[in-house]
mmCIF file of all heavy atoms in Angstrom:
data_model
loop_
_atom_site.group_PDB
_atom_site.id
_atom_site.type_symbol
_atom_site.label_atom_id
_atom_site.label_comp_id
_atom_site.label_asym_id
_atom_site.label_seq_id
_atom_site.Cartn_x
_atom_site.Cartn_y
_atom_site.Cartn_z
ATOM 1 N N ILE T 8 119.887 73.704 169.442
ATOM 2 C CA ILE T 8 118.543 73.980 169.940
ATOM 3 C C ILE T 8 117.986 75.266 169.355
ATOM 4 O O ILE T 8 116.877 75.292 168.782
ATOM 5 C CB ILE T 8 118.529 74.037 171.440
ATOM 6 C CG1 ILE T 8 118.729 72.562 171.987
ATOM 7 C CG2 ILE T 8 117.218 74.593 171.963
ATOM 8 C CD1 ILE T 8 118.989 72.478 173.500
ATOM 9 N N PHE T 9 118.770 76.322 169.347
ATOM 10 C CA PHE T 9 118.302 77.590 168.810
ATOM 11 C C PHE T 9 118.337 77.661 167.300
ATOM 12 O O PHE T 9 117.478 78.245 166.755
ATOM 13 C CB PHE T 9 119.046 78.797 169.562
ATOM 14 C CG PHE T 9 118.693 79.032 170.891
ATOM 15 C CD1 PHE T 9 119.595 78.593 171.903
ATOM 16 C CD2 PHE T 9 117.379 79.479 171.272
ATOM 17 C CE1 PHE T 9 119.277 78.717 173.300
ATOM 18 C CE2 PHE T 9 117.104 79.597 172.634
ATOM 19 C CZ PHE T 9 117.982 79.280 173.548
ATOM 20 N N GLY T 10 119.294 76.984 166.700
ATOM 21 C CA GLY T 10 119.416 76.921 165.257
ATOM 22 C C GLY T 10 118.255 76.163 164.670
ATOM 23 O O GLY T 10 117.791 76.508 163.540
ATOM 24 N N SER T 11 117.810 75.180 165.339
ATOM 25 C CA SER T 11 116.750 74.341 164.749
ATOM 26 C C SER T 11 115.357 74.846 165.210
ATOM 27 O O SER T 11 114.345 74.286 164.794
ATOM 28 C CB SER T 11 116.904 72.919 165.222
ATOM 29 O OG SER T 11 116.766 72.788 166.570
ATOM 30 N N GLU T 12 115.369 75.854 166.033
ATOM 31 C CA GLU T 12 114.101 76.446 166.611
ATOM 32 C C GLU T 12 113.324 75.406 167.373
ATOM 33 O O GLU T 12 112.050 75.457 167.412
ATOM 34 C CB GLU T 12 113.287 77.120 165.469
ATOM 35 C CG GLU T 12 114.050 78.252 164.773
ATOM 36 C CD GLU T 12 113.197 79.001 163.769
ATOM 37 O OE1 GLU T 12 112.093 78.422 163.381
ATOM 38 O OE2 GLU T 12 113.650 80.029 163.340
ATOM 39 N N ALA T 13 113.979 74.549 168.117
ATOM 40 C CA ALA T 13 113.383 73.480 168.910
ATOM 41 C C ALA T 13 112.619 74.123 170.059
ATOM 42 O O ALA T 13 111.653 73.621 170.534
ATOM 43 C CB ALA T 13 114.446 72.571 169.391
ATOM 44 N N TYR T 14 113.106 75.348 170.490
ATOM 45 C CA TYR T 14 112.477 76.013 171.567
ATOM 46 C C TYR T 14 111.037 76.377 171.268
ATOM 47 O O TYR T 14 110.183 76.700 172.158
ATOM 48 C CB TYR T 14 113.236 77.248 172.031
ATOM 49 C CG TYR T 14 113.406 78.311 170.949
ATOM 50 C CD1 TYR T 14 112.490 79.275 170.810
ATOM 51 C CD2 TYR T 14 114.438 78.213 170.093
ATOM 52 C CE1 TYR T 14 112.649 80.274 169.812
ATOM 53 C CE2 TYR T 14 114.603 79.161 169.005
ATOM 54 C CZ TYR T 14 113.643 80.142 168.945
ATOM 55 O OH TYR T 14 113.825 81.123 167.924
ATOM 56 N N LYS T 15 110.667 76.496 170.050
ATOM 57 C CA LYS T 15 109.203 76.774 169.705
ATOM 58 C C LYS T 15 108.327 75.589 170.029
ATOM 59 O O LYS T 15 107.156 75.770 170.355
ATOM 60 C CB LYS T 15 109.111 77.023 168.179
ATOM 61 C CG LYS T 15 109.750 78.356 167.786
ATOM 62 C CD LYS T 15 109.577 78.644 166.281
ATOM 63 C CE LYS T 15 110.265 79.983 165.901
ATOM 64 N NZ LYS T 15 110.173 80.254 164.501
ATOM 65 N N TYR T 16 108.853 74.357 170.023
ATOM 66 C CA TYR T 16 108.101 73.226 170.441
ATOM 67 C C TYR T 16 108.253 72.860 171.924
ATOM 68 O O TYR T 16 107.376 72.209 172.487
ATOM 69 C CB TYR T 16 108.440 71.966 169.535
ATOM 70 C CG TYR T 16 108.069 72.191 168.117
ATOM 71 C CD1 TYR T 16 108.933 72.809 167.194
ATOM 72 C CD2 TYR T 16 106.828 71.786 167.683
ATOM 73 C CE1 TYR T 16 108.598 72.873 165.889
ATOM 74 C CE2 TYR T 16 106.447 71.911 166.300
ATOM 75 C CZ TYR T 16 107.340 72.449 165.467
ATOM 76 O OH TYR T 16 106.928 72.652 164.143
ATOM 77 N N PHE T 17 109.353 73.220 172.466
ATOM 78 C CA PHE T 17 109.681 72.910 173.851
ATOM 79 C C PHE T 17 110.125 74.198 174.409
ATOM 80 O O PHE T 17 111.291 74.582 174.553
ATOM 81 C CB PHE T 17 110.812 71.931 173.865
ATOM 82 C CG PHE T 17 111.086 71.254 175.160
ATOM 83 C CD1 PHE T 17 111.974 70.324 175.367
ATOM 84 C CD2 PHE T 17 110.514 71.759 176.359
ATOM 85 C CE1 PHE T 17 112.378 69.743 176.549
ATOM 86 C CE2 PHE T 17 110.832 71.185 177.671
ATOM 87 C CZ PHE T 17 111.734 70.179 177.711
ATOM 88 N N ALA T 18 109.201 75.081 174.829
ATOM 89 C CA ALA T 18 109.443 76.435 175.252
ATOM 90 C C ALA T 18 110.453 76.610 176.396
ATOM 91 O O ALA T 18 111.237 77.510 176.402
ATOM 92 C CB ALA T 18 108.076 77.096 175.709
ATOM 93 N N ASP T 19 110.552 75.626 177.242
ATOM 94 C CA ASP T 19 111.467 75.759 178.370
ATOM 95 C C ASP T 19 112.945 75.644 177.915
ATOM 96 O O ASP T 19 113.894 76.245 178.548
ATOM 97 C CB ASP T 19 111.288 74.674 179.402
ATOM 98 C CG ASP T 19 110.092 74.986 180.269
ATOM 99 O OD1 ASP T 19 109.506 75.993 180.185
ATOM 100 O OD2 ASP T 19 109.676 74.089 181.112
ATOM 101 N N LEU T 20 113.188 75.037 176.795
ATOM 102 C CA LEU T 20 114.628 74.981 176.180
ATOM 103 C C LEU T 20 115.139 76.409 175.884
ATOM 104 O O LEU T 20 116.267 76.725 175.997
ATOM 105 C CB LEU T 20 114.704 74.148 174.982
ATOM 106 C CG LEU T 20 114.665 72.605 175.230
ATOM 107 C CD1 LEU T 20 114.761 71.898 173.901
ATOM 108 C CD2 LEU T 20 115.754 72.151 176.098
ATOM 109 N N GLY T 21 114.216 77.290 175.434
ATOM 110 C CA GLY T 21 114.578 78.660 175.208
ATOM 111 C C GLY T 21 114.274 79.609 176.314
ATOM 112 O O GLY T 21 114.816 80.746 176.385
ATOM 113 N N GLY T 22 113.561 79.159 177.395
ATOM 114 C CA GLY T 22 113.160 80.014 178.453
ATOM 115 C C GLY T 22 113.991 79.933 179.685
ATOM 116 O O GLY T 22 114.656 80.848 180.089
ATOM 117 N N ILE T 23 113.947 78.736 180.319
ATOM 118 C CA ILE T 23 114.568 78.619 181.608
ATOM 119 C C ILE T 23 115.742 77.759 181.651
ATOM 120 O O ILE T 23 116.661 78.042 182.452
ATOM 121 C CB ILE T 23 113.428 78.156 182.600
ATOM 122 C CG1 ILE T 23 114.001 78.290 184.081
ATOM 123 C CG2 ILE T 23 113.057 76.723 182.387
ATOM 124 C CD1 ILE T 23 112.971 78.050 185.067
ATOM 125 N N TRP T 24 115.841 76.691 180.825
ATOM 126 C CA TRP T 24 116.921 75.716 180.987
ATOM 127 C C TRP T 24 118.291 76.311 180.732
ATOM 128 O O TRP T 24 119.286 75.963 181.390
ATOM 129 C CB TRP T 24 116.668 74.462 180.223
ATOM 130 C CG TRP T 24 115.672 73.556 180.898
ATOM 131 C CD1 TRP T 24 114.365 73.468 180.463
ATOM 132 C CD2 TRP T 24 115.754 72.945 182.052
ATOM 133 N NE1 TRP T 24 113.735 72.627 181.449
ATOM 134 C CE2 TRP T 24 114.549 72.325 182.379
ATOM 135 C CE3 TRP T 24 116.844 72.796 183.000
ATOM 136 C CZ2 TRP T 24 114.310 71.545 183.520
ATOM 137 C CZ3 TRP T 24 116.621 71.989 184.109
ATOM 138 C CH2 TRP T 24 115.350 71.396 184.396
ATOM 139 N N TRP T 25 118.383 77.261 179.854
ATOM 140 C CA TRP T 25 119.710 77.807 179.557
ATOM 141 C C TRP T 25 120.189 78.642 180.711
ATOM 142 O O TRP T 25 121.368 78.715 181.023
ATOM 143 C CB TRP T 25 119.733 78.532 178.257
ATOM 144 C CG TRP T 25 119.011 79.924 178.279
ATOM 145 C CD1 TRP T 25 117.620 80.140 177.955
ATOM 146 C CD2 TRP T 25 119.502 81.133 178.603
ATOM 147 N NE1 TRP T 25 117.301 81.365 178.115
ATOM 148 C CE2 TRP T 25 118.492 82.064 178.511
ATOM 149 C CE3 TRP T 25 120.779 81.616 178.896
ATOM 150 C CZ2 TRP T 25 118.605 83.464 178.758
ATOM 151 C CZ3 TRP T 25 120.940 82.952 179.232
ATOM 152 C CH2 TRP T 25 119.836 83.835 179.118
ATOM 153 N N LEU T 26 119.245 79.288 181.459
ATOM 154 C CA LEU T 26 119.644 80.040 182.592
ATOM 155 C C LEU T 26 120.043 79.139 183.761
ATOM 156 O O LEU T 26 121.044 79.431 184.470
ATOM 157 C CB LEU T 26 118.406 80.872 183.119
ATOM 158 C CG LEU T 26 117.947 82.033 182.155
ATOM 159 C CD1 LEU T 26 116.620 82.616 182.628
ATOM 160 C CD2 LEU T 26 119.077 83.142 182.183
ATOM 161 N N ILE T 27 119.383 78.003 183.912
ATOM 162 C CA ILE T 27 119.801 77.060 184.979
ATOM 163 C C ILE T 27 121.190 76.502 184.669
ATOM 164 O O ILE T 27 122.061 76.477 185.540
ATOM 165 C CB ILE T 27 118.770 75.874 185.006
ATOM 166 C CG1 ILE T 27 117.382 76.434 185.572
ATOM 167 C CG2 ILE T 27 119.268 74.768 185.905
ATOM 168 C CD1 ILE T 27 116.258 75.442 185.504
ATOM 169 N N VAL T 28 121.470 76.081 183.458
ATOM 170 C CA VAL T 28 122.760 75.535 183.087
ATOM 171 C C VAL T 28 123.848 76.611 183.341
ATOM 172 O O VAL T 28 124.835 76.313 183.948
ATOM 173 C CB VAL T 28 122.756 75.137 181.599
ATOM 174 C CG1 VAL T 28 124.177 74.811 181.184
ATOM 175 C CG2 VAL T 28 121.858 73.917 181.444
ATOM 176 N N ALA T 29 123.597 77.843 182.882
ATOM 177 C CA ALA T 29 124.584 78.923 183.048
ATOM 178 C C ALA T 29 124.804 79.184 184.542
ATOM 179 O O ALA T 29 126.043 79.291 184.953
ATOM 180 C CB ALA T 29 124.129 80.198 182.349
ATOM 181 N N ALA T 30 123.810 79.298 185.271
ATOM 182 C CA ALA T 30 123.937 79.548 186.709
ATOM 183 C C ALA T 30 124.708 78.417 187.407
ATOM 184 O O ALA T 30 125.639 78.701 188.240
ATOM 185 C CB ALA T 30 122.586 79.773 187.474
ATOM 186 N N LEU T 31 124.384 77.192 187.127
ATOM 187 C CA LEU T 31 125.062 76.079 187.840
ATOM 188 C C LEU T 31 126.522 75.959 187.372
ATOM 189 O O LEU T 31 127.400 75.575 188.102
ATOM 190 C CB LEU T 31 124.298 74.760 187.649
ATOM 191 C CG LEU T 31 122.923 74.682 188.342
ATOM 192 C CD1 LEU T 31 122.276 73.380 187.919
ATOM 193 C CD2 LEU T 31 123.047 74.860 189.808
ATOM 194 N N TRP T 32 126.778 76.183 186.081
ATOM 195 C CA TRP T 32 128.103 76.132 185.559
ATOM 196 C C TRP T 32 128.990 77.161 186.316
ATOM 197 O O TRP T 32 130.074 76.886 186.793
ATOM 198 C CB TRP T 32 128.155 76.330 184.092
ATOM 199 C CG TRP T 32 129.513 76.202 183.534
ATOM 200 C CD1 TRP T 32 130.339 75.114 183.279
ATOM 201 C CD2 TRP T 32 130.304 77.302 183.032
ATOM 202 N NE1 TRP T 32 131.502 75.463 182.752
ATOM 203 C CE2 TRP T 32 131.618 76.803 182.565
ATOM 204 C CE3 TRP T 32 130.164 78.655 182.963
ATOM 205 C CZ2 TRP T 32 132.570 77.566 182.074
ATOM 206 C CZ3 TRP T 32 131.181 79.444 182.421
ATOM 207 C CH2 TRP T 32 132.326 78.907 181.991
ATOM 208 N N ILE T 33 128.478 78.382 186.366
ATOM 209 C CA ILE T 33 129.129 79.421 187.117
ATOM 210 C C ILE T 33 129.340 79.157 188.594
ATOM 211 O O ILE T 33 130.417 79.375 189.189
ATOM 212 C CB ILE T 33 128.457 80.789 186.897
ATOM 213 C CG1 ILE T 33 128.506 81.298 185.432
ATOM 214 C CG2 ILE T 33 128.974 81.844 187.820
ATOM 215 C CD1 ILE T 33 127.671 82.430 185.032
#
């Protein structure tokens, strides 16, 4: 996602979803 810069087209992939995944995994 970050290597392809997909977050520029889908802002939440770079903004909030990685935080949600990390918090729930922990």
